[in-house]
């Protein structure tokens, strides 16, 4: 896993082979972040990374200048890996800019009172509740006005009829739907 651009461009982190997570490919990550420059300036933005997995998106957001990134991951080993990557990247200062939370995304979203400029969610493609995630994000009012929500999903779902739909991009088997508040 590597950081594509920003102040930590080129840094690499080796993902343990035992991980069950499917990290966003470098190709798809680079392309979606290129598209996002049309929608949002991540410098000093607050961000939320849901289903953080390996922490790849969290690290990319920090490299691109986000002032704070909250990442939520349920798996204990994945959460520990994210913490290790943050320590390697940011040292002791990571706790003020990067907040890795080990917990269930749905419980976190339902109890969260913070608003974010940017939210990224990459749930397991087979997750039963996957189709309900965009509505949950907007019903809980987690985005600031003008905020952007990027939802990674498989090709068997379409969100073009969602009232907050802004754009859809497909890179191989990876689909990103962009929503705007």
């Amino acid at each position: 896993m590597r950081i594509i651009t920003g102040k930590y461009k080129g840094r690499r982190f080796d993902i343990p082979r035992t991980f069950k997570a499917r990290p966003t490919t470098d190709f798809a990550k680079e392309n979606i972040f290129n598209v996002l420059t049309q929608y949002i300036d991540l410098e000093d933005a607050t961000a939320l990374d849901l289903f953080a997995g390996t922490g790849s998106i969290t690290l990319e957001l920090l490299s691109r200048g986000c002032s704070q990134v909250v990442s939520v991951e349920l798996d204990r080993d994945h959460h520990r890996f994210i913490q290790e990557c943050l320590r390697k990247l940011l040292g002791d200062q990571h706790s003020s800019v990067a907040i890795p939370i080990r917990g269930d995304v749905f419980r976190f979203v339902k109890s969260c009172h913070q608003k974010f400029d940017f939210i990224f969610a990459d749930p397991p493609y087979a997750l039963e509740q996957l189709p309900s995630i965009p509505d949950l994000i907007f019903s809980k009012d987690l985005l600031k006005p003008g905020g952007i929500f990027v939802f990674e999903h498989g090709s068997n779902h379409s969100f073009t009829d969602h009232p907050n739909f802004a754009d859809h991009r497909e890179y191989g088997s990876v689909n990103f739907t962009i929503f705007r508040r």
Side-chain angles (χ1 to χ4, degrees), residues 78-93:
H78 296 188
H79 178 261
R80 188 178 308 123
F81 179 75
I82 293 168
Q83 288 179 308
E84 289 171 16
C85 291
L86 291 170
R87 272 193 288 278
K88 288 177 185 174
L89 194 67
L90 304 171
D92 292 335
Q93 70 163 350

Side-chain angles (χ1 to χ4, degrees), residues 51-68:
F51 306 95
T54 62
S56 173
I57 298 299
T58 293
L59 298 173
E60 193 69 38
L61 290 167
L62 290 166
S63 185
R64 292 170 184 258
C66 284
S67 62
Q68 182 186 61

